[in-house]
Amino acid sequence: MNIDDVPQEGNRTHPGQRKSIYARTTNGRLGLVASSGWEVEEIVTRQAVEAFEALADAARKKARRGESSPLEYHMYRARMDLALLAQASGLWRWRVRRHLKLRDFARLSPALRQRYADALGIAADQLATLD
Amino acid sequence: MPTSGFLHQQASHCESGVMSAILRHYGLPLSEPMAFGLSSALAFAYLPFIKLSGLPLVSYRMPPKAILRGLQKPLGFAMHTETFRAPEKGAARLNALLDAGQVVGLQASVFWLPFIPPDFRFHFNAHNLLAYGRDATDGDYLISDPVLEAAVRCPAADLTKARFARGVLAPKGLLYYPANPPREPDWKSVLPAALKKTTRIMLHTPLPFIGVRGMRWLARAIERLPAATDAQATKLYIGHLVRMQEEIGTGGGGFRFMYAAFLEEAALLAQRPTLAELAAELADIGDHWREFALAAARMIRDRDPLDPARLAQQLREQATREQTFFVALAKAARG
């Protein structure tokens, strides 16, 4: 890649930030060149972010209808899945899966609520809400 | 406020950038490509049994910490590393080192770092950055994250959370700094050894999912994607490949451009002009990786029909090109 081919298309996933990539510079040698963004990268980054947003959105609707617990919504909002939430909270996967159900979630002890809140980086009282 | 006279410098990849900066600070100027190439960090791996949000791990380099470990022998120094069970202890130790004027390398999860743009904050635990000081009044850390343009500040609670994130590749508060100063190596012996190791990994790893064989294996998996029945899943899969190749701080083209820059430098230091010719070849291969990324992105946005077979074909051509390239590199390394 030559310095003139380094994309300067802007990228709304890193607004105002440039990243460095290696390209052939004006002295004929490969070196770091600042890039304001490449649309290809914007497409794939937004795709990954939107996939989690869609999951969180669906989980929120389900929770509103009373079909699942708010924990599922918060899990996807924190860009986690079941495996990751289990690791982050230090709980068995089957236990987390149970707590995704409204009935078991409602019975959670304050200690477990705190544990989930810590893993998700939110306050314990936020866990029961859909904010 | 002690800042140890440290100067931030942007790089393209976190681990090689941190190593380049930390070695420079402790007395040995070493470029990022040299840190990357000398530690034989280039690779290809397709690991379908390790899933990230349900998608296979695909990597264009050796596993995390390979650069950190791989530079010790050629540069004749030992990297002192510490991990912690209790976050409080990890924070206290970092503070003590910074107050003593040390510049310290850290491993952390990207997700919990507030200065990373929100769209990049996924649960990737093997991010590397440097701490070079601490604000005595509010306790903020002075951070040099090599993928950012400028040095930043980070509240203590956020950094501690990021250093003690759990899950795959959990950092466990890892911090590191050289125990003794690195020294300039005998380039004519360390460079051929580093090249040889990379060619062995790319051509002769006895596992079908590593090196050029791994590319062919991945091509087969791409061919089998359910493009007709589940376009959404297929698009997520190919988008994931492009993210691993371009987005995760690779310097473009899945580290191929950075390794080409290393070869150019190596040609001068080891006085092997053949390596400069090979650098140009690898830069061409990097361009083909960029074409692969572009083709995938166009399919994701429906500008081109979703056709995994075409991507698989492109990947197989890359495998052939890289095979030829690494055979030539192995020959050049022998001298």
Side-chain angles (χ1 to χ4, degrees):
Chain A
M1 183 165 38
N2 287 318
I3 187 163
D4 305 328
D5 304 324
V6 172
Q8 307 290 353
E9 299 166 356
N11 181 333
R12 65 194 163 103
T13 64
H14 53 93
Q17 284 261 14
R18 291 182 303 169
K19 57 186 280 183
S20 279
I21 60 174
Y22 284 88
R24 200 163 291 290
T25 56
T26 40
N27 66 9
R29 294 183 30 99
L30 289 159
L32 273 184
V33 177
S35 162
S36 69
W38 191 24
E39 196 202 5
V40 165
E41 293 183 1
E42 184 181 282
I43 290 171
V44 292
T45 303
R46 286 303 305 167
Q47 181 194 29
V49 170
E50 281 160 15
F52 274 113
E53 285 172 355
L55 286 168
D57 208 41
R60 172 148 55 181
K61 284 184 183 133
K62 260 169 76 186
R64 284 232 174 90
R65 291 195 301 265
E67 291 163 22
S68 83
S69 78
L71 181 61
E72 189 178 11
Y73 162 69
H74 287 291
M75 172 176 85
Y76 288 129
R77 207 183 59 143
R79 297 183 186 166
M80 292 188 183
D81 57 10
L82 182 68
L84 197 56
L85 181 58
Q87 284 171 333
S89 59
L91 297 169
W92 292 98
R93 261 187 226 206
W94 62 265
R95 283 191 79 189
V96 178
R97 196 177 291 124
R98 272 183 50 181
H99 297 152
L100 296 179
K101 290 181 197 143
L102 192 56
R103 208 179 55 135
D104 296 288
F105 177 80
R107 280 191 235 148
L108 274 180
S109 69
L112 272 176
R113 274 174 203 268
Q114 189 59 51
R115 201 153 160 178
Y116 278 123
D118 288 343
L120 295 163
I122 58 177
D125 50 2
Q126 203 189 331
L127 196 62
T129 71
L130 287 170
D131 304 329
Chain B
M1 183 162 61
T3 56
S4 331
F6 177 80
L7 284 174
H8 173 78
Q9 195 176 307
Q10 190 177 20
S12 71
H13 172 60
C14 65
E15 193 176 339
S16 49
V18 159
M19 287 308 289
S20 164
I22 207 168
L23 291 173
R24 177 165 38 88
H25 183 77
Y26 286 98
L28 181 71
L30 194 78
S31 71
E32 182 192 20
M34 185 48 74
F36 186 77
L38 189 57
S39 56
S40 305
L42 190 78
F44 183 89
Y46 161 59
L47 307 175
F49 36 82
I50 302 180
K51 302 275 191 205
L52 310 166
S53 312
L55 294 163
L57 180 63
V58 175
S59 183
Y60 297 77
R61 63 166 160 105
M62 296 294 280
K65 289 193 231 172
I67 303 173
L68 202 152
R69 292 202 189 102
L71 287 173
Q72 298 180 99
K73 201 175 143 196
L75 301 180
F77 76 103
M79 193 60 104
H80 176 82
T81 62
E82 290 176 44
T83 54
F84 307 86
R85 198 169 284 192
E88 311 78 53
K89 283 196 179 151
R93 177 72 178 135
L94 176 61
N95 295 349
L97 286 167
L98 292 175
D99 292 345
Q102 289 264 35
V103 169
V104 184
L106 302 171
Q107 186 186 334
S109 158
V110 180
F111 186 79
W112 303 105
L113 294 173
F115 50 81
I116 300 279
D119 281 356
F120 286 88
R121 290 168 63 183
F122 288 92
H123 294 276
F124 175 63
N125 278 337
H127 186 57
N128 285 272
L129 49 117
L130 284 162
Y132 64 95
R134 199 162 66 99
D135 191 321
T137 46
D138 57 13
D140 278 8
Y141 289 104
L142 308 182
I143 298 290
S144 164
D145 187 319
V147 303
L148 299 181
E149 279 188 276
V152 290
R153 298 167 70 97
C154 182
D158 293 329
L159 187 69
T160 303
K161 180 119 185 128
R163 289 176 64 207
F164 288 90
R166 296 160 82 161
V168 180
L169 300 171
K172 301 191 180 80
L174 175 72
L175 59 80
Y176 50 91
Y177 56 90
N180 57 308
R183 55 179 161 74
E184 176 126 9
D186 171 15
W187 296 109
K188 285 185 180 161
S189 73
V190 295
L191 285 171
L195 295 172
K196 205 174 135 197
K197 187 176 171 198
T198 296
T199 59
R200 262 208 322 262
I201 292 160
M202 289 303 295
L203 298 172
H204 303 301
T205 307
L207 296 166
F209 36 81
I210 308 286
V212 292
R213 289 166 76 200
M215 294 179 202
R216 298 198 174 105
W217 196 311
L218 175 60
R220 211 167 53 163
I222 293 174
E223 242 162 22
R224 291 176 183 170
L225 289 173
T229 51
D230 193 347
Q232 193 57 27
T234 303
K235 285 178 178 181
L236 274 173
Y237 192 105
I238 62 176
H240 171 76
L241 295 179
V242 175
R243 281 179 61 227
M244 298 300 120
Q245 180 191 312
E246 299 297 332
E247 197 65 313
I248 315 295
T250 68
F255 295 98
R256 269 55 185 166
F257 293 124
M258 201 200 295
Y259 198 78
F262 154 72
L263 288 177
E264 270 190 2
E265 239 184 275
L268 291 175
L269 288 167
Q271 290 163 3
R272 300 258 184 105
T274 350
L275 294 180
E277 291 161 30
L278 287 167
E281 266 178 52
L282 188 59
D284 284 342
I285 291 175
D287 287 339
H288 288 292
W289 281 114
R290 301 280 280 188
E291 283 165 20
F292 176 84
L294 180 64
R298 290 185 61 86
M299 289 182 194
I300 292 166
R301 279 291 166 89
D302 294 318
R303 291 176 199 164
D304 286 333
L306 186 59
D307 183 3
R310 187 158 75 86
L311 293 176
Q313 181 54 30
Q314 268 179 292
L315 194 55
R316 285 207 178 89
E317 287 164 14
Q318 280 299 75
T320 307
R321 283 188 193 103
E322 293 213 350
Q323 180 147 28
T324 312
F325 170 81
F326 284 105
V327 167
L329 186 63
K331 197 164 160 246
R334 284 195 298 271

